[in-house]
Amino acid sequence: MDINWRKSSFSSDTQGDCVELARFDDRIAIRESDTPATVLQTRGRSVAALIEWQKSSFSGDRDDCVELRRRGDRVALRESDAPTTVVATTPPRLRALLAALKATG
């Protein structure tokens, strides 16, 4: 099987040390670039559960903020002080909401 590996965006172009991911069927393959023969395979939803929430850049050092995370074709939002309440939407709908909020000033 021919697998298309993708290098982590956190890896620089000059260093070979990086984590690489590949998707096939409903599985995700993960490997270190310096040990390509050792591959961890798991289901995509297992990896998605590990993705960290990203805090809004407008929050600065404060802990009360809006957090986002992308899961497939959905974007999840939550308040950091109420992390169990999650609202999911699509990227186009989120962009439309943000544009409307910016337009109202």
Side-chain angles (χ1 to χ4, degrees):
M1 174 185 329
D2 187 31
I3 297 176
N4 183 21
W5 291 96
R6 302 180 101 193
K7 184 169 77 166
S8 166
S9 60
F10 291 103
S11 302
S12 69
D13 290 333
T14 59
Q15 296 177 342
D17 300 347
C18 62
V19 173
E20 298 174 323
L21 297 171
R23 183 174 194 110
F24 56 97
D25 298 324
D26 68 337
R27 315 238 351 128
I28 299 284
I30 306 168
R31 71 179 184 185
E32 288 281 342
S33 61
D34 57 350
T35 55
T38 304
V39 176
L40 167 69
Q41 292 185 35
T42 188
R43 297 205 180 281
R45 64 180 169 266
S46 299
V47 173
L50 299 174
I51 296 173
E52 292 184 36
W53 289 90
Q54 295 182 5
K55 184 170 77 164
S56 168
S57 60
F58 290 103
S59 298
D61 292 333
R62 298 182 2 220
D63 289 333
D64 55 336
C65 58
V66 174
E67 298 173 321
L68 296 168
R69 126 167 121 183
R70 180 91 182 243
R71 296 187 107 176
D73 63 346
R74 309 285 288 171
V75 177
L77 296 93
R78 72 178 185 183
E79 285 283 340
S80 60
D81 56 353
T84 59
T85 303
V86 177
V87 175
T89 188
T90 63
R93 288 181 177 172
L94 179 59
R95 281 191 295 276
L97 172 64
L98 293 173
L101 291 171
K102 288 178 183 179
T104 60

